[in-house]
Amino acid sequence: ILIAFFIRIPILKVRYFDPDEFQHLHSARQIYYGEIPYRDYFEHHTPLLHFILALIYPIFGEEIHILFVARSIMLLFTGLILFSNFILVRRLYGTYTGFLAILFLSYVLIFLEKTLEIRPDVLAVILWLSSMFFMVKGIQLKQKMKFFLFSGIFMGAAIMTTQKTIFGLPGL
């Protein structure tokens, strides 16, 4: 698991850039300059990731290295995906199965490719897994309303990251 995670670090700098990555950073830049999505410029993604990425512009400026800083943030999000996946699977099936789940996930090629890119889907997966964790915990424990509230908050945040998360709602 650690090998699969840390091998991403040198790949961050040499992997080609998907055009969507520039679009997401440009949207974050527009927010940094005070523009409002859907009013001042066109955007077809929901803006939570863009607001988060706008926070790095005052620190790192508009130089080329901001691309790699944003990709490093995606690396942090990837670690959170693996951790969230482990926590959810451990809660349902036990620790051994949790480790197996993140081991297998770590070596899936599409997971490697897409979590290296600057994409709202990476953050949405964390929020969606968190929503499922609180839903499962609410079902398993007696204090249901509190956990269902947190599940709803995380699902709403996931939808504010990417509208594709809505396709997971019928499953929940």
Side-chain angles (χ1 to χ4, degrees), residues 55-113:
L55 299 174
I56 65 175
Y57 276 94
I59 300 168
F60 296 101
E62 295 182 39
E63 302 298 321
I64 193 76
H65 64 276
I66 199 166
L67 294 165
F68 302 108
V69 170
R71 278 190 168 185
S72 299
I73 292 171
M74 295 299 118
L75 181 68
L76 174 69
F77 289 165
T78 301
L80 289 173
I81 288 172
L82 293 171
F83 178 73
S84 300
N85 196 12
F86 172 75
I87 295 296
L88 178 63
V89 174
R90 185 185 68 179
R91 178 131 194 116
L92 290 170
Y93 303 108
T95 304
Y96 179 73
T97 309
F99 279 120
L100 275 178
I102 62 174
L103 175 69
F104 292 149
L105 179 61
S106 297
Y107 287 96
V108 172
L109 184 59
I110 193 73
F111 182 73
L112 170 69
E113 290 177 354

Side-chain angles (χ1 to χ4, degrees), residues 2-50:
L2 292 175
I3 290 169
F5 183 76
F6 287 115
I7 203 159
R8 296 166 182 272
I9 295 172
I11 296 173
L12 285 176
K13 294 183 179 181
V14 296
R15 187 172 187 276
Y16 69 91
F17 284 97
D18 188 271
D20 290 348
E21 294 182 83
F22 299 116
Q23 174 195 355
H24 297 303
L25 278 176
H26 179 70
S27 185
R29 181 184 171 274
Q30 298 303 98
I31 291 170
Y32 170 66
Y33 280 115
E35 294 189 12
I36 298 173
Y38 316 117
R39 185 190 77 181
D40 297 327
Y41 66 95
F42 173 77
E43 179 57 55
H44 67 281
H45 291 93
T46 46
L48 183 59
L49 178 70
H50 303 146

Side-chain angles (χ1 to χ4, degrees), residues 87-88 90-92 129-148 150-151:
I87 295 296
L88 178 63
R90 185 185 68 179
R91 178 131 194 116
L92 290 170
L129 286 170
S130 300
S131 174
M132 287 194 295
F133 171 78
F134 282 112
M135 183 193 62
V136 166
K137 195 168 182 178
I139 290 170
Q140 291 176 342
L141 300 176
K142 305 240 187 253
Q143 306 158 331
K144 294 181 179 184
M145 296 312 287
K146 176 174 67 171
F147 294 113
F148 289 147
F150 287 131
S151 178

